Amino acid sequence: MSRPQILATDLHYRYPDGMTALAGASFAIHHGERVAIVGANGAGKSTLLLHLSGVLQPSQGQVTIDDLPVTEKTFTTVRQRVGLVFQDPDDQLFMPTVLEDVTFGPLNLGVPPEESQRRARECLEQVGAWHLRDRPPHRLSAGEKRRVAIAAVLAMAPDVLVLDEPTTGLDPRGRRQLIQLLKGFPHTRIIASHDLDLVLELCPRTILLHAGKIAADRPTVELMRDDQLLQRTGLERPLSMQCCPICNNK
Amino acid sequence: MSGGDQAFLEPGLLDRLGHGDSSIHRLDPRAKLVVTFAFVLVVVSHDKYAVSALVPFFLYPAALLALSGIPVGQLVRKLVVTAPFALLVGLFNPLLDRAPLLELAGLEIAGGWVSFLSILLRFALTISALFLLVATTEIPALGRAAERLGVPRAFVVQLLMLYRYLFVLADEAARMARGHRLRGARRHPHWRVFAQMIGQLLIRALERARRIHRAMLCRGFDGRIPLLAELRFQARDWAFLLGWIAAFALLRFAEPAQLLGKLVLGGGA
Amino acid sequence: MHMSDTLLSPEVGSALWVATAATVALSSRRLGRLQDDRTVPLMGVLGAFIFAAQMINFAIPATGSSGHLAGTMILAILLGPHAAFLTMASVLTVQALFFADGGLLALGANIFNLGVIPCYVIYPLIYRPLAGSAWGTARARTAAFLAAVLALQLGALGVVVETTLSGIAELPFAAFAAVMQPIHLAIGIVEGLITVAVVDFLYRMQPDLLGALPHNRRADTHPWRRAGVALGIGAVLLGGVGAWFASADPDGLEWSIARVVPGELPERGDGIHATAAQVQERIALLPDYALPGASAEEDAPTVIDAGTTLSGLVGGFLTLTTAFGLGWLLRRRTVRSTTNPVR
């Protein structure tokens, strides 16, 4: 078995106000894997994702990316390798226009302006948002914002894509477009989501968080059949795996 | 400042107008900014009894309106809404300045009325110019223009950030205010309630700032915001800038209104 | 209340633009040196917060009318004077653009009244000395309330002074002030109450947020500099207003001389005095305290002599710049000597 790309060992984290968010989480993710992170609200999903990109440092335990330990000192390297797409795209699109937002990352990394623009174009075209390049973010729809935020992260040329609740606020078409988009990426993908049907469709493996600990780390289909586990951890089956509400077929 | 939902819709309205497309919209923002400033300076440099001298200056907003396609109704609405303060103060002019200044068809007109009229004209001219500037230039473009004209970068970055997030926060504030009105309370919240409301708004704002900061860090932020300033002055920008400044100078010092009047009345008026 | 282009003269407007632009430049540089990258998103979002909060009107009890928040003191308490000033300046700028609140020329005056005065006069001279080092005490709350009230009073006074100096409106100083000051006292009291309530709310709900702000907690090492700023601003205001009031009466010295020596002072036309007089006439931008070209027998007597007030303002501004320049020079010398100890 090849070395894991992401290795989390016994992660503990406590917020400044004393609340424990992670109470010992460990897992290993390999190149190219597609892993979902699920759990009830407050289970610690977002906190875990912030640890993977080095924004937060654990009070105990460690994260390594390709054998590089994630610390305050290595943050500058880690943040380029792990691209984090935030839950609220308004937090992530902070420049006056879409193009300026997508070039923000490469320019900060020291990529020359022309090359940055070329990369931005490539990434925007990949998500189907090149025509929006001169728009200010506040005049984009929720779906457009999401796609632009992804493009902005892609422009950093990361190895890993981490997404926090990517389908929140999207209408059915927007959601479908997003799922198609995510299917096509070559990166290692880690997706935290309440949208269990997306999880079922996109990620063969699921990590279930409960009260800051990993309650399960299994193939998705298997986990989604474990009704007792799902109940205990505040979840239920994906809608596509539940009884049909029309004909009530099990 | 107008209250109610109108206030919340205003920025969006002007923002949308600013993103339009016309020959005026496409001009370099620096040219527009400088010309607007020059216009305002020249207009207010008039004597307080200037009335006929000010009238020709309406040429500028009229020309912009015609070329930019901005609806006249919007401008009129803006004028009506912003009128109160200046007019209220100006209204004292006729009351305090009673000395007759000129005679019109046998009627003695006090200086105060003339200066009041001058105030009205100044008001219409300066507000129109400013409105048309914003209606034909988006704020980020104005920010870029300001930076190229020497405004400190830290301030321009702040303007752009503010512009970016004011719609988001204005939305939150509007929802809060609407929620308050829908609960049958009187029109405006009591100050204590208001303090609670904006206290909540503030906490959310601070948390958002923290999240934005994190997002910035994740994309390599090191304290400096890179700005792509791609502004290039073209022939038509020079024409606009120099043409209008020359026109203002001419109108200010040659007083064509007087000349025209004298011409029409056949000299000696 | 906002100053308006309509009632502004180009001299007053430009003078205040110069003062404001200088402050923005100094503030930006100062902030750049503070090196905290959290400030960028924080200022942006808090500016948006103030902008949004100002859109909601609250009822002023016992008057039946409504008002809106200024919020400068809240910003100053949360961010410190420099960041608060730039944030407020940006809010006023965007408001001028989106709402035509006042106008482009008046923006300089508005930023001065509602930004420079609260952040660089009231905050250092009233709030910081009175409030102590942390929030939560009755002392701090009283200081905040007082600061808010005074900031609005001085801001309103600024509008009155600027309008009167401009000479477009006939409203005399005393009458205008008699209306503006009480109104802004009422608004100021509510603003003060809201300021205290909001900071208190933050303090109770999220004390860690309040503590995490890049507050300017540096010890008061330059009390003389603050005094210098206050004196400078006082000089500008005094120069302007005083010059206007004094325009009718001859200069103190000349007046006393006139009493002693009957008749006009003879012009010493010979030798060095003549040369000196010629040189002075050539150099002086504003010969004899009036604008060049302005005829002696101008308009009606009620017209304010713009030349006098301009020289008053220019004089005041030059005094301020000189004071600052000297202060800065002095500071550089002391800093150099303390950071380069002889080994």
Side-chain angles (χ1 to χ4, degrees):
Chain A
M1 184 81 133
S2 53
R3 292 196 63 76
Q5 187 179 30
I6 302 172
L7 186 64
T9 325
D10 195 35
L11 292 179
H12 284 76
Y13 186 76
R14 183 180 284 129
Y15 276 111
D17 63 3
M19 202 184 73
T20 305
L22 294 175
S26 306
F27 55 85
I29 295 176
H30 294 79
H31 279 269
E33 274 201 81
R34 286 164 289 149
V35 182
I37 308 207
V38 305
N41 281 336
K45 299 192 297 297
S46 296
T47 314
L48 182 60
L49 296 190
L50 290 172
H51 279 87
L52 294 182
S53 34
V55 176
L56 292 179
Q57 302 297 328
S59 48
Q60 213 184 311
Q62 196 190 55
V63 177
T64 60
I65 309 284
D66 279 327
D67 291 333
L68 177 73
V70 176
T71 65
E72 262 145 25
K73 293 206 192 78
T74 58
F75 177 59
T76 35
T77 320
V78 172
R79 68 186 172 186
Q80 185 270 316
R81 293 211 200 147
V82 179
L84 177 55
V85 180
F86 284 62
Q87 194 166 7
D88 185 352
D90 271 324
D91 295 337
Q92 199 150 26
L93 303 177
F94 39 76
M95 295 295 278
T97 60
V98 163
L99 184 60
E100 286 177 285
D101 234 303
V102 182
T103 51
F104 180 81
L107 285 173
N108 279 327
L109 289 177
V111 176
E114 265 136 42
E115 172 65 18
S116 295
Q117 294 240 38
R118 196 199 56 78
R119 263 205 218 181
R121 180 175 187 143
E122 201 179 289
C123 297
L124 280 170
E125 276 174 344
Q126 210 176 354
V127 304
W130 175 241
H131 64 287
L132 300 171
R133 66 190 174 282
D134 287 323
R135 285 248 203 119
H138 64 267
R139 289 180 62 227
L140 297 172
S141 72
E144 288 168 340
K145 279 187 204 172
R146 247 306 145 218
R147 284 185 282 149
V148 172
I150 292 175
V153 171
L154 286 177
M156 306 268 290
D159 302 318
V160 183
L161 260 189
V162 180
L163 299 107
D164 196 351
E165 306 284 352
T167 52
T168 312
L170 292 184
D171 59 21
R173 176 175 301 179
R175 179 181 171 276
R176 181 49 49 193
Q177 280 175 340
L178 184 76
I179 294 178
Q180 286 306 114
L181 191 63
L182 292 177
K183 272 190 185 157
F185 289 146
H187 313 75
T188 309
R189 279 147 285 172
I190 303 174
I191 305 176
S193 186
H194 281 307
D195 185 345
L196 298 179
D197 291 277
L198 172 144
V199 167
L200 197 60
E201 205 177 321
L202 270 179
C203 308
R205 175 181 163 197
T206 299
I207 295 175
L208 171 50
L209 268 184
H210 179 62
K213 293 205 182 88
I214 296 191
D217 184 353
R218 296 193 227 151
T220 306
V221 178
E222 195 189 301
L223 192 147
M224 295 304 178
R225 284 217 184 98
D226 191 339
D227 290 311
Q228 255 196 3
L229 175 67
L230 291 173
Q231 263 278 1
R232 186 165 59 81
T233 54
L235 301 174
E236 61 177 35
R237 288 199 188 195
L239 294 171
S240 48
M241 280 175 67
Q242 293 182 18
C243 348
C244 167
I246 312 276
C247 57
N248 215 18
N249 265 342
K250 282 233 193 306
Chain B
M1 280 262 268
S2 44
D5 268 339
Q6 182 57 41
F8 293 107
L9 298 172
E10 189 67 39
L13 214 109
L14 267 174
D15 191 53
R16 243 170 288 137
L17 286 175
H19 278 93
D21 194 24
S22 75
S23 57
I24 305 292
H25 282 86
R26 281 175 250 130
L27 286 168
D28 190 297
R30 288 171 291 177
K32 285 184 275 188
L33 191 57
V34 173
V35 169
T36 308
F37 214 99
F39 181 78
V40 171
L41 261 176
V42 171
V43 164
V44 304
S45 74
H46 282 84
D47 181 66
K48 72 176 181 177
Y49 293 115
V51 170
S52 61
L54 285 174
V55 173
F57 280 90
F58 279 99
L59 183 68
Y60 176 65
L64 286 188
L65 271 173
L67 292 170
S68 65
I70 302 293
V72 185
Q74 291 292 350
L75 175 55
V76 173
R77 193 187 50 85
K78 167 64 64 186
L79 288 175
V80 168
V81 161
T82 52
F85 174 63
L87 296 197
L88 227 64
V89 178
L91 219 53
F92 283 90
N93 283 28
L95 292 173
L96 296 167
D97 185 3
R98 305 262 184 89
L101 195 66
L102 50 89
E103 257 188 60
L104 204 68
L107 220 79
E108 274 186 352
I109 303 200
W113 285 110
V114 180
S115 61
F116 179 62
L117 191 57
S118 184
I119 288 182
L120 286 177
L121 291 174
R122 266 166 225 268
F123 166 74
L125 286 168
T126 54
I127 300 298
S128 300
L130 184 57
F131 176 82
L132 287 166
L133 172 68
V134 185
T136 58
T137 321
E138 19 163 294
I139 301 271
L142 282 174
R144 256 172 257 133
E147 208 218 351
R148 291 289 283 269
L149 290 171
V151 176
R153 182 168 246 268
F155 187 63
V156 174
V157 167
Q158 167 59 14
L159 276 174
L160 295 178
M161 279 280 151
L162 166 61
Y163 168 74
R164 167 65 186 99
Y165 285 104
L166 69 85
F167 298 96
V168 177
L169 269 92
D171 237 11
E172 286 182 32
R175 266 181 270 132
M176 222 177 228
R178 202 175 304 143
H180 172 267
R181 271 203 304 279
L182 286 173
R183 267 176 281 173
R186 47 194 154 108
R187 181 128 227 286
H188 295 132
H190 179 66
W191 70 261
R192 246 191 247 277
V193 175
F194 174 76
Q196 296 273 40
M197 280 166 55
I198 64 168
Q200 287 285 5
L201 212 62
L202 178 61
I203 288 182
R204 292 220 286 263
L206 289 170
E207 283 175 345
R208 184 179 284 277
R210 189 196 276 188
R211 293 195 304 267
I212 295 170
H213 181 244
R214 278 190 188 148
M216 290 174 130
L217 286 179
C218 283
R219 302 225 314 271
F221 183 53
D222 61 353
R224 205 162 185 268
I225 301 261
L227 290 176
L228 299 170
E230 273 187 23
L231 291 177
R232 243 174 297 135
F233 238 57
Q234 296 177 311
R236 63 169 176 213
D237 301 312
W238 282 115
F240 183 82
L241 178 68
L242 299 173
W244 278 113
I245 295 202
F248 300 155
L250 194 73
L251 291 176
R252 178 72 176 87
F253 297 112
E255 293 204 28
Q258 291 267 34
L259 294 172
L260 194 67
K262 288 205 180 107
L263 222 76
V264 168
L265 296 169
Chain C
M1 217 151 263
H2 289 253
M3 190 59 207
S4 168
D5 274 353
T6 315
L7 305 172
L8 202 59
S9 75
E11 294 86 9
V12 175
S14 317
L16 285 163
W17 250 111
V18 171
T20 298
T23 318
V24 168
L26 288 171
S27 235
S28 301
R29 226 162 30 124
R30 181 58 177 274
L31 216 62
R33 265 184 270 136
L34 246 55
Q35 301 278 353
D36 191 334
D37 61 13
R38 280 179 301 166
T39 323
V40 171
L42 198 56
M43 279 168 60
V45 174
L46 284 185
F49 160 73
I50 293 288
F51 190 94
Q54 289 190 350
M55 289 200 216
I56 308 176
N57 281 7
F58 52 81
I60 305 178
T63 56
S65 61
S66 63
H68 68 90
L69 187 76
T72 327
M73 269 311 138
I74 299 178
L75 280 181
I77 295 172
L78 293 179
L79 295 173
H82 311 292
F85 171 70
L86 285 181
T87 306
M88 204 58 199
S90 69
V91 172
L92 291 165
T93 306
V94 177
Q95 277 177 346
L97 295 173
F98 272 149
F99 296 110
D101 256 347
L104 207 54
L105 187 63
L107 183 59
N110 282 321
I111 295 180
F112 189 84
N113 300 336
L114 302 167
V116 176
I117 291 181
C119 296
Y120 289 116
V121 177
I122 304 292
Y123 179 81
L125 296 178
I126 306 282
Y127 179 72
R128 276 325 288 277
L130 288 179
S133 55
W135 188 259
T137 58
R139 212 180 135 191
R141 293 192 179 93
T142 319
F145 177 81
L146 208 64
V149 172
L150 284 173
L152 251 75
Q153 281 296 290
L154 279 186
L157 187 64
V159 176
V160 177
V161 169
E162 288 144 16
T163 308
T164 322
L165 282 180
S166 293
I168 308 292
E170 288 297 330
L171 213 48
F173 179 86
F176 198 11
V179 174
M180 287 284 274
Q181 303 306 118
I183 291 180
H184 285 84
L185 188 61
I187 300 178
I189 289 176
V190 185
E191 167 99 17
L193 291 169
I194 293 176
T195 302
V196 174
V198 171
V199 183
D200 250 352
F201 186 83
L202 187 64
Y203 182 71
R204 276 183 296 118
M205 294 289 146
Q206 305 257 322
D208 54 319
L209 269 181
L210 191 61
L213 289 164
H215 193 92
N216 185 5
R217 288 195 174 285
R218 280 212 310 220
D220 194 354
T221 50
H222 302 284
W224 57 264
R225 178 189 259 187
R226 293 209 311 240
V229 174
L231 277 173
I233 294 187
V236 175
L237 288 174
L238 215 65
V241 178
W244 173 65
F245 273 118
S247 62
D249 308 313
D251 214 20
L253 181 60
E254 283 183 41
W255 179 81
S256 42
I257 289 178
R259 291 189 73 189
V260 174
V261 178
E264 284 228 11
L265 275 174
E267 290 263 315
R268 299 289 297 275
D270 48 13
I272 196 164
H273 291 277
T275 328
Q278 276 177 4
V279 172
Q280 204 248 353
E281 214 172 64
R282 289 261 164 76
I283 293 179
L285 275 172
L286 304 167
D288 233 6
Y289 271 60
L291 282 173
S295 53
E297 339 80 48
E298 267 282 358
D299 323 37
T302 48
V303 172
I304 313 279
D305 185 351
T308 311
T309 53
L310 177 60
S311 15
L313 282 162
V314 170
F317 185 70
L318 285 173
T319 319
L320 168 67
T321 321
T322 317
F324 242 115
L326 280 172
W328 181 76
L329 275 168
L330 270 168
R331 181 168 179 268
R332 292 207 70 183
R333 296 197 68 196
T334 36
V335 168
R336 199 168 289 147
S337 62
T338 52
T339 53
N340 292 321
V342 178
R343 285 204 185 259

